[in-house]
Amino acid sequence: MFRDSVIIMRKEMRRMFTDRRLLFMLVVLPLVMLPLMYSFMGKANKTRMAEINSYSSRITVCQGQGGGEVSDLFLESLSMLNAHIETSDLEQIDSLKQRVIDKDIELLIVMPGDMNGDILDNTVLNFSIFYNSTGDYSNYAFDQVRSSFSAVNDAIVRLRILEMGMSEDMLKAYTINKFLAADEISDLAEEGSVMGKLIGVMMPFFIVIYLFANSMKVGLDSVAGEKERGTLAMLLVNQVSRLSIVLGKMISVMVAAIVGAVSSAIGLKIASRYLIDMVGDSGASISEYTMGTTAILQFSIIVIPLAILISSLVLVVSTFARNVKEGQGMIMPVYIAVMVMGVTTMQTGDVPPEWMRMAPVFNSLVVLKDIFMQNALWSNVIFSLATSLVVSALLIFVTLRMFNDERVLFRI
Amino acid sequence: MLRVENLSKEFHSGRGKNAKTVQAVKNLSFQCKPGEIYGLLGPNGAGKTTTLRCLSTLIKPTSGNAWIDQFNVLDHGQMFRSKIGFLTSDMKLDGYFSPDYMMNWFGRLNKMQDSEIEQRKEKLFVDLKMTDFIHKKIDELSSGMKQKTAVAISLIHDPDVIIFDEPTNGLDIVTSKSVTDFLVSRAESGKIVILSTHNMTIAEKLCDRFGILVEGELKEEGTLSGIIQGSDWDNLEDVFFSYIMPDSTVGGEHV
Ligand SMILES: Nc1ncnc2c1ncn2[C@@H]1O[C@H](COP(=O)(O)OP(=O)(O)OP(=O)(O)O)[C@@H](O)[C@H]1O
Ligand SMILES: [Mg+2]
């Protein structure tokens, strides 16, 4: 029986690894997709940041009567920014607001009148700052102005405290990491685990996507496609058992799936250098991230059964469908569901809700994440393995039933 | 020895109000001896393909059974299949591979040794005049070449019973002749050959016995001379017409 499965599988393999177009889709695409995407996004991100940094914002300031020294203090802080500062008067306010809307200027700052007097009375100054959240430059200018002004605020408050004869330490109840020794590092994450976290968050998503995409490419064709082309009957009239056929097909779909997953994992590893550019995490370094033998073992224990599960899922649909097109239509909702699972796993924190550890597919994804962060529990690994295998067995049973049902196999 | 006993096949389609039942084959029985070519004749929709598919185990008879020696289609599917070579026009070959590769592949699936496969291939390639194209991709072959390839593959395991549905459909006379000559040589070497056709000329030349199938029922069975003697007609075609269109006088004259 297994001998026949192997014969069937070998033909499908030969097809997979000699057909250049198929090989490109199954191996090359998942490998280069992520590095290309990330290097592109990383570059775009960098140039965008550079652009924003070198951009000189247009800021208009309106001021009431009698600004005085305090007002100069604020204006001076603005002049330190990379910005064109214009002044105008309050009557213009409506047309100035319109200019903000039109993105003709980035910010409109309205300063209160008698600022000196207010400060002496200990009255809180009220600035109005109008910006346009749809403009990147406007958001950026707003942030900059806010931090400049807050520096002025700090200076004024410090003066007041000193005038009252108190220490400026009154302003601070604590500091963080100010008195670390020179050789002391505050981020105690193990070497490589920062990268592990980055990869761990992304990896399950991409692995499941390519497991699925490759299963679909090979799996839909291997039954629905053969039905459509009339090649399946040729196989069925030979002395091969239906179980051998189903297993042979399943194994070849699974191999395609694993090839995709491994390619995309390598792709993500390559891509991670660009990923660091994007997140700008200085603590992360790719060269430091390596998977230990335990992690690789656990990874295989999760990914192989997950590949079996996903290939069986695709095979059920492929067997039920009349043709490839119908199969694609039927598998789409499943694909989207799996994608959503991938995204959800990406967004759950370090401690996923308990049900995620119970649900098939989900639990494998969650454990994969643990594995990359190097904190997977063997009990969780084994449980995920078991659920994947049980569900796969169920799906293979259903496929086998359909293979023995002429109404399914010969729906034309 | 092949025995078909009271074979019936119903197809159900639609659901609820639209449910329909088609009686494709009704209580069909016939037998074939080794060395015999049996022709199943009948108009479109008569149930020929359905009958042959039941014999291939691709579909299950609603009732009745078919036997080759002690094996039957219901209980010994895989064993039964090992005894037959089956081909219909809607069965196709994977076009990505060459005839040679596919022959090896099907040979192995039929549990043959590699040396056995080589011998068998050599014989089939020569008999069916295929040697020119055995290493080309099947996709790139003409339909005649494809049909020869399909014939060769279905017979890789040298089955006792050859069941072909319209094997010469769409072939030119040369290719058609090489296929029919081959079938005759197989029968001469003691195989049972069952084929379906609408082509009376081929049927008359090729078959030892005939069954005329109309609307799923076997209306007439016998040798060419037996059928003609027992009828009002002097050729097979007119006998055939008299069953399909009982009221018409198309074709020859009354004797
Ligand atoms: N899978 C199926 N589902 C429903 N009805 C079917 C199916 N296959 C065949 N039939 C019906 O069974 C009857 C016999 O069909 P069959 O294909 O056996 O005829 P045939 O003698 O081979 O005809 P042809 O000469 O056109 O090939 C037809 O009425 C056909 O519509
Ligand atoms: Mg037919």
Side-chain angles (χ1 to χ4, degrees), chain A residues 63-96:
Chain A
Q63 197 171 12
Q65 292 297 308
E69 290 160 23
V70 177
S71 136
D72 290 343
L73 222 53
F74 281 101
L75 285 175
E76 212 175 280
S77 79
L78 285 182
S79 71
M80 317 266 270
L81 299 176
N82 180 13
H84 293 293
I85 314 286
E86 272 176 35
T87 47
S88 184
D89 50 72
L90 277 171
E91 281 140 43
Q92 299 289 319
I93 189 141
D94 289 329
S95 72
L96 288 170

Side-chain angles (χ1 to χ4, degrees), chain A residues 26 32 51 78 111 152 174 240 250 259 317 330 397 407:
Chain A
L26 296 179
V32 300
E51 238 172 67
L78 285 182
M111 292 199 186
V152 178
Y174 63 88
V240 200
M250 207 226 41
V259 163
V317 173
M330 293 195 287
F397 177 74
R407 284 169 307 172

